[in-house]
Amino acid sequence: MNPLDDLARTDIDPALLAQVRALVERQQADLARRDALLAEKEFKITALTHELAYYRRIRFGKASEALVGEQRLLFEETVDMDLAAIEEELDTQAPLKRQRRRAGRQPLQPELPRIEHRHEPASCQCGQCGADLVKIGEDISEQLDVEPARFFVHRHIRPQYACRPCETVTAASIPAAIIDGGMAAVGLLAWIAACKYLDHLPLYRIEQIAARQGVPLARSTLAEWIGRIGVALQPLADRLAELLRQQACLHADETPVRQLDPGSGKTKHAYLWAYRSGVHDDGPPIVVFDYQTSRAGAHARAFLHGWRGHLMVDDYVGYKSLFTDGPTELACLAHIRRKFFDVHAASGSPAAEEALRRIAALYVIEQQGAGLDPPQRLALRQRLSVPALGELHAWLLATQRTIATGSSTAKAIDHALKRWPALIRYADSGSLPIDNNPVENAIRPIAIGKKNWLFTGSERAGRRAAAIQSLFATAKLNGLDPLRWLSSVLERLPTCPNSQLDTLLPFPNSIPR
């Protein structure tokens, strides 16, 4: 029997009964939400626990025995990073703080210079009874830090004071840190991340660099630090992606990478999808990398789900389904030019040369409008670009009828005409780009870096790299020193509330002066 029904049979005031019913319904809704949240956390913990067991199995099992040389080194450091990241995620999901196993730590070399930081209590009086505090000792912890080519140690000294009347011991609190109780200071963590994701150095090479300075840094320790940094920075990367999808125009492109397949000792194809804000949009420029295991167009649809705007892409078929009921397609003039350039370089075709001349004239107009605001740029394009595009289109149609079908020049012309509606859309706006070069420039450092790191060790490692590289690439676009920016963020992130997360993003003025 429902107690509310029994209550309704009494002579209770109907208004009061309605209030009771509303209160009970709210409590039931709150309990349902809490149950759903608890179930979600339990599911996440179970999934992470299984993933943790899997990575431990492949790290120490027979799956890695087929790897040799650099493959094995890169595989082991990647799995170590993934293990650390999974444990960090488990720590954030678990209702109680798990006791983490810590390996024995080597003492920091005494010959390294020390910078002492004294953390005194805010008051010299006891917080319990008001009596004067008496110093009875010091709690000293040390963190290893680095400047380029110079390692040094931060020495944190926390005097401990005691109140004789009530025997209360008082000491300053330890500053919050990304890695709780870790020996690495923010400068060292940022330097390691920059070496790996900006300079594309595998961790064993970073280990060698430190060893040359007389500082032993085990690869397993470096891997753990990177894994935990990746987890800490993921909310910033996610927020960057949210802000990117608020833009009216985006560039998109993708580049292949190799991902290690531990069971076979070989590598398989994966892709790094890149998205960049429009070059003429307001606000700071943003680059976001999205790591996926294939080139299927479903990945772009998932990333841009619900987004409406203009999307600048090449002619890859994976993007085509996006444009049926979503973004508006923009075609890249640089891709059109590239095909004519290849024809001219191979055969000296006069038709290809003429196409290059006409396309160059369009780029000259864009250079003239580089410093203009959107309305002024639109007026310039309407006055100069639209007639030039019309003449180019008429010339392409006329030339198509005079050359042999199936020739390389004919294929270049056919490609341009097929893309024509999307190619000329930029001219009817003052804020749309003419080509996809901005996102290609953002991808280029990673494409070059692949010669160093060869492959990613796992899908999780690829996602972590994509997140950190998104932040670094955006920092560079905004004129920031990525290393200095990351050092500042790692120092502030532990105490930064979620409501102020945007202040940490790699945008201008994000580094305190």
Side-chain angles (χ1 to χ4, degrees), residues 357-483:
R357 186 189 66 78
R358 291 175 179 270
I359 292 173
L362 291 169
Y363 274 98
V364 169
I365 298 171
E366 289 303 299
Q367 291 174 353
Q368 295 174 9
L372 304 180
D373 58 28
Q376 293 172 326
R377 188 179 298 110
L378 173 60
L380 177 69
R381 287 174 171 177
Q382 291 290 301
R383 181 166 55 88
L384 300 178
S385 299
V386 171
L389 286 166
E391 293 172 4
L392 174 59
H393 187 248
W395 178 85
L396 289 171
L397 291 173
T399 306
Q400 186 183 42
R401 294 190 292 267
T402 64
I403 59 176
T405 303
S407 65
S408 56
T409 304
K411 291 179 180 178
I413 292 176
D414 292 344
H415 179 70
L417 292 174
K418 182 183 72 171
R419 304 280 284 151
W420 195 256
L423 195 67
I424 63 175
R425 285 196 177 105
Y426 84 94
D428 291 325
S429 167
S431 58
L432 297 179
I434 190 173
D435 61 34
N436 213 21
N437 285 349
V439 75
E440 292 183 0
N441 292 337
I443 288 179
R444 186 169 292 112
I446 296 174
I448 295 174
K450 286 188 293 187
K451 297 178 181 178
N452 276 1
W453 46 264
L454 304 178
F455 53 81
T456 61
S458 69
E459 183 177 350
R460 177 181 280 271
R463 294 198 304 268
R464 177 172 51 248
I468 296 176
Q469 286 168 333
S470 298
L471 295 166
F472 277 160
T474 301
K476 289 194 292 185
L477 273 183
N478 284 279
L480 300 178
D481 174 2
L483 177 59

Side-chain angles (χ1 to χ4, degrees), residues 169-248:
V169 177
T170 302
S173 60
I174 299 175
I178 286 291
I179 300 178
D180 224 359
M183 75 168 184
V186 294
L188 179 61
L189 295 175
W191 175 74
I192 294 168
C195 285
K196 180 168 178 60
Y197 295 111
L198 283 178
D199 301 328
H200 309 288
L201 297 178
L203 294 187
Y204 77 89
R205 294 187 185 174
I206 301 174
E207 180 186 35
Q208 293 170 352
I209 293 172
R212 288 197 299 268
Q213 302 295 324
V215 179
L217 293 176
R219 278 196 302 279
S220 59
T221 301
L222 297 175
E224 178 184 352
W225 291 344
I226 287 291
R228 298 192 185 282
I229 290 171
V231 173
L233 293 178
Q234 188 62 52
L236 293 180
D238 293 341
R239 178 58 177 159
L240 211 59
E242 290 178 10
L243 294 175
L244 181 76
R245 286 187 285 264
Q246 295 176 12
Q247 301 293 317

